[in-house]
Amino acid sequence: MECPPDRLPLVRHWGSDLGPLDEEAARAVCLIGERSGRLSGELDARPPSLVPEAWTGWTGRPGLVGSRNGRDWSPRFSGVSVRIGGTEAPSYTEAGAAGLEVAADDAEGLLRLTLTVEMLASGLLRVRAGLVNGGGTYDLQELSVALPVPTHAAELIDFSGRWGMERQAQRLEFAVGAHVRENRRGRTGLDSAYLLHATEPGSDFVGGETWAVHVAWSGNHRHVAEHDSTGIRLLSGGEHLLPGELRLAEGEGYTGPWVYASYGDGLDRVAHRFHSHLRSRPGHVSPRRPVTLNTWEAVYFDHDEKRLLELARLAAEVGVERFVLDDGWFGGRRHSRAGLGDWTVSPDAWPHGLQPLVNAVLEHGMEFGLWVEPEMVNLDSDLARAHPEWITAARSELPVEQRNQHVLDLSLPDCYEAVRRQLLAILDEYPISFLKWDHNRDHVEAGVRPRGGVPGVHARTAAAYRLLAEVRAAHPGLEIESCAAGGGRVDLGILEHTDRVWVSDVSDPLERQRLLRWTGQLLPTELMGSHIASPRSHTTSRTHDLSFRGATALFGHLGVEWDLGATTPEDRAELAAWITLYKEYRELIHTGTLWRGPDPGEGIWSQGVVAGDGTKGLYSLTSLTWCPTGAPPSARLRGLDAHRRYRVRPLTVGSPAAGFSAPAWWDEQGVVVPGSALARVGLPVPVMHPEQTVLVLAERVD
Ligand code: DGJ
């Protein structure tokens, strides 16, 4: 970074390590980062800073947008002070992992901008901007931070999606113009951009220089890739503010969300920095993640005590360690049209309260978990009847419904208090170790009713974070899952308060292969809820063998989403074997490094997790479609030590993959192969039918 006193800091390079730079070399890097020259007719412009401003000649999207009734709209920050670790920075510093605090003033515009720039031990960069208003009311519309990427980052990769199909990767040319991913859903979104990458053409998991940004915010937000006609390319991000949402009175301030940035040669190395950052969080989950059974696809709203007691018994029998009671236990919640907002146990569904079930779960040696959706309300609820003004709306009519529900305004202190009290009461009454915290609708036209419908997504997002933090503080050890109609709230903001995400409502393993693969671009395996569901998928109607369902779910936090009451003893024996296998390898899966690809061929995927010390790796080889060539190609196993030898053997649970034909090395003894050969020559993928997976274990022998 270059931090001149008279303008905001510029990032001159981020990405590959340039080696140690003395002051002279650092100055040279800054110099070659200047423009190469200009054509006649062009502005006398300088490269944009972390918060791009028009006065530098930047005609692209400004970092700060706002005004005082049309005045003070073009900021020029100077008088920049820089502090590192609390003390004023010397003129030249090579800091490594460190934090930089920047403050700058626009004396004419009466604004103060603050920037916090941190290089974390994981190698992630994160930047946060703040603004303090020193004059009359300032209408803040946008405060984003931008990072430059080089011209060879000529392609973009980000994500889209919908219910059941979250995080579908899309790849496009980084052409002149702005690729703007603006979210106005009030939650991260099933279609969230998730991570916006700029990359060398042809990059994949294995290689190709790649830069990525991610906005750690669960409310409205924006990711932008911008390429101007002079060749400048920026990746930027920030909160998306609605009209009039943040009107700062004199002396008031705003702090934007962290914008994270990662770099790597290949998508895997971009992901590794996020994984190691998340794993370094204080209180990060234990790698001995408890195998979970969630009741949703087993019983839906049919909460019958006898049936659920039997489900708990069968769950314990197959090795489940945490039993989670999903939607349907409270208020008038016999269906999705009623009850949200009334967080007391329903005497209709549970005439003896939850105690008999909770006791049985604990007696079986399992933990008890419960589903809640505290930010939402059904009109058919006591809460909505008593406090219609707590339902968000921008106009006199209520917003369009989604799943028969509306958004509660937790930014209103009384509403927040009522929800908080109910949640804490249920947590005090029962020994609950886990909350599945759902959020099933978008915040559309979600104004603050008692204030005439002004937008309130920012305040509500902050209130939701506060509620999560308060609940956790009151119940240390409580784990919380972030769920939003599946994986609609997956971001690093919510992950400051939660312990895993529900990746998707789709547990069909064919879909899950892709969902886990791409959700893994941000999250390590232990944070991705990954359940084995019934043979016939409730969402896609496809039918799959347990071997494919089990081997797919294994690469996440394993659970069960299946009505065990409708299974045969043989099904349960095979399921128990998968659970045993998970328990044996979960520490490897949840601490190891994830390597995806190279995919051996069209429709054949390989991935693995390798222990940090390189002693072992667990791989899956998956056939998604028929292999177009007669003999399937070889899978090159990544992440192992090229200078050591490994015994490679199959891990088989229950019946083998359909159409399976064993290659020469496929037996219990396996074969000892140098790591270099596994990486370069590869293992021949066994012949198998489509929608099948086999597992391979590599253990170091020398
Ligand atoms: C949506 C979630 O994604 C499901 O798993 C389930 O919890 C339902 N909500 C319950 O209403």
Side-chain angles (χ1 to χ4, degrees):
M1 279 177 64
E2 184 184 355
C3 304
D6 58 346
R7 63 168 299 189
L8 292 175
L10 295 106
V11 171
R12 293 302 198 170
H13 171 79
W14 62 292
S16 56
D17 187 357
L18 302 181
L21 296 180
D22 59 17
E23 188 164 355
E24 195 188 340
R27 280 190 196 288
V29 172
C30 294
L31 192 66
I32 60 173
E34 282 297 321
R35 294 193 34 169
S36 51
R38 66 184 55 81
L39 294 170
S40 123
E42 280 187 351
L43 274 165
D44 193 4
R46 304 234 9 238
S49 68
L50 270 170
V51 178
E53 299 154 292
W55 74 265
T56 63
W58 172 246
T59 55
R61 299 170 62 92
L64 172 61
V65 183
S67 79
R68 294 191 182 90
N69 276 330
R71 303 186 64 153
D72 303 325
W73 59 274
S74 183
R76 177 170 187 155
F77 289 100
S78 63
V80 179
S81 80
V82 182
R83 302 174 84 79
I84 298 178
T87 52
E88 200 172 316
S91 67
Y92 168 76
T93 313
E94 196 189 354
L100 216 76
E101 294 288 340
V102 178
D105 289 310
D106 176 356
E108 203 174 310
L110 300 175
L111 294 170
R112 162 158 280 217
L113 184 82
T114 56
L115 286 168
T116 308
V117 185
E118 293 182 355
M119 172 65 84
L120 305 172
S122 57
L124 276 188
L125 180 68
R126 64 176 183 181
V127 187
R128 180 152 78 178
L131 189 77
V132 178
N133 176 23
T137 304
Y138 182 83
D139 193 357
L140 175 63
Q141 289 165 40
E142 179 175 345
L143 180 55
S144 304
V145 296
L147 290 162
V149 293
T151 47
H152 61 281
E155 279 185 5
L156 299 174
I157 302 173
D158 68 356
F159 298 86
S160 178
R162 62 165 174 80
W163 179 77
M165 290 194 82
E166 299 87 334
R167 287 167 285 288
Q168 296 182 61
Q170 54 178 12
R171 197 166 191 137
L172 51 148
E173 189 191 344
F174 196 167
V176 169
H179 172 68
V180 182
R181 298 299 309 280
E182 229 158 50
N183 169 298
R184 291 186 191 77
R185 296 182 181 279
R187 61 175 178 181
T188 327
L190 295 161
D191 59 349
S192 115
Y194 196 49
L195 274 158
L196 173 57
H197 305 80
T199 180
E200 281 186 285
S203 64
D204 56 14
F205 292 118
V206 182
E209 278 206 288
T210 305
W211 294 259
V213 292
H214 167 82
V215 180
W217 187 245
S218 315
N220 294 340
H221 62 282
R222 181 191 298 111
H223 290 90
V224 180
E226 186 168 15
H227 178 183
D228 84 347
S229 54
T230 70
I232 292 173
R233 292 165 198 250
L234 301 177
L235 295 182
S236 66
E239 182 175 7
H240 178 75
L241 298 170
L242 294 168
E245 184 160 23
L246 272 173
R247 296 172 65 80
L248 302 176
E250 182 167 353
E252 271 184 357
Y254 162 82
T255 306
W258 284 114
V259 178
Y260 283 82
S262 182
Y263 163 82
D265 186 11
L267 291 165
D268 272 353
R269 291 187 176 84
V270 171
H272 292 166
R273 295 185 201 278
F274 286 111
H275 298 176
S276 65
H277 168 66
L278 286 161
R279 285 177 172 172
S280 70
R281 295 176 308 165
H284 183 65
V285 296
S286 153
R288 298 186 62 74
R289 298 294 265 150
V291 178
T292 299
L293 179 135
N294 185 58
T295 62
W296 183 240
E297 289 198 5
V299 301
Y300 292 102
F301 288 112
D302 182 15
H303 280 212
D304 172 71
E305 186 183 289
K306 215 165 134 233
R307 187 170 172 200
L308 281 152
L309 285 171
E310 176 60 1
L311 187 60
R313 187 186 72 75
L314 293 172
E317 194 183 279
V318 296
V320 167
E321 298 161 310
R322 174 184 282 164
F323 185 90
V324 180
L325 184 65
D326 206 289
D327 197 354
W329 57 269
F330 53 92
R333 192 73 169 172
R334 305 291 74 75
H335 43 67
S336 70
R337 295 182 302 283
L340 287 177
D342 302 336
W343 300 105
T344 48
V345 178
S346 158
D348 295 341
W350 294 94
H352 314 109
L354 294 181
Q355 209 62 61
L357 179 67
V358 174
N359 288 345
V361 165
L362 300 184
E363 275 158 24
H364 288 307
M366 299 185 287
E367 296 174 6
F368 182 72
L370 197 62
W371 180 94
V372 290
E373 195 177 3
E375 297 153 82
M376 298 291 154
V377 66
N378 286 119
L379 293 184
D380 186 359
S381 67
D382 293 343
L383 189 93
R385 278 182 285 271
H387 292 286
E389 76 283 8
W390 290 354
I391 303 170
T392 59
R395 308 167 48 82
S396 48
E397 307 91 359
L398 286 178
V400 61
E401 289 203 336
Q402 189 171 348
R403 208 186 185 218
N404 312 301
Q405 66 193 58
H406 288 277
V407 179
L408 263 187
D409 203 334
L410 291 184
S411 72
L412 299 169
D414 290 348
C415 174
Y416 179 95
E417 187 46 32
V419 174
R420 187 189 77 101
R421 214 178 315 114
Q422 291 193 71
L423 274 184
L424 291 181
I426 199 90
L427 285 164
D428 287 342
E429 187 174 353
Y430 297 104
I432 295 169
S433 314
F434 176 85
L435 284 181
K436 177 176 179 183
W437 187 297
D438 212 338
H439 182 294
N440 280 296
R441 73 154 292 161
D442 297 317
H443 300 219
V444 177
E445 284 199 304
V448 185
R449 270 179 140 186
R451 293 180 51 218
V454 298
V457 177
H458 171 81
R460 261 195 312 283
T461 309
Y465 286 164
R466 204 165 62 243
L467 185 59
L468 283 156
E470 271 201 66
V471 165
R472 290 226 298 194
H475 289 271
L478 173 76
E479 279 194 17
I480 302 182
E481 171 172 59
S482 171
C483 174
R489 189 148 68 173
V490 182
D491 65 79
L492 293 188
I494 201 77
L495 277 158
E496 286 182 21
H497 305 283
T498 53
D499 304 283
R500 73 169 215 172
V501 306
W502 182 227
V503 171
S504 177
D505 273 351
V506 171
S507 292
D508 170 335
L510 190 60
E511 301 299 329
R512 277 281 174 154
Q513 283 282 339
R514 187 190 53 75
L515 280 157
L516 289 169
R517 170 172 265 212
W518 284 115
T519 306
Q521 188 58 19
L522 186 71
L523 301 193
T525 56
E526 64 273 23
L527 298 183
M528 301 192 278
S530 181
H531 293 185
I532 300 175
S534 48
R536 182 163 181 159
S537 165
H538 288 202
T539 38
T540 66
S541 290
R542 286 195 198 105
T543 300
H544 290 109
D545 295 340
L546 186 48
S547 63
F548 187 38
R549 281 142 57 215
T552 300
L554 195 66
F555 288 80
H557 175 194
L558 190 81
V560 177
E561 193 89 20
W562 186 3
D563 182 5
L564 297 181
T567 55
T568 63
E570 293 73 33
D571 290 335
R572 292 198 294 279
E574 198 172 331
L575 177 62
W578 277 104
I579 290 174
T580 304
L581 185 85
Y582 171 71
K583 288 178 179 169
E584 193 176 344
Y585 290 100
R586 63 184 156 191
E587 287 185 69
L588 167 63
I589 296 168
H590 297 325
T591 58
T593 307
L594 178 69
W595 298 99
R596 295 161 294 179
D599 292 332
E602 186 72 31
I604 304 199
W605 283 5
S606 102
Q607 65 171 350
V609 272
V610 178
D613 60 5
T615 48
K616 56 176 170 243
L618 175 65
Y619 293 84
S620 71
L621 309 177
T622 296
S623 157
L624 299 171
T625 55
W626 274 110
C627 180
T629 56
S634 294
R636 285 167 287 163
L637 306 188
R638 295 169 69 210
L640 299 172
D641 186 339
H643 306 292
R644 303 298 191 98
R645 293 187 307 152
Y646 290 85
R647 180 177 304 281
V648 190
R649 62 182 175 89
L651 284 184
T652 310
V653 178
S655 29
F660 176 80
S661 160
W665 55 275
W666 195 270
D667 66 35
E668 271 308 294
Q669 293 313 305
V671 56
V672 174
V673 188
S676 55
L678 290 171
R680 296 201 194 118
V681 180
L683 279 184
V685 177
V687 171
M688 55 186 149
H689 281 174
E691 299 172 23
Q692 303 288 335
T693 290
V694 292
L695 297 173
V696 172
L697 184 69
E699 289 169 301
R700 205 165 79 191
V701 292
D702 59 3

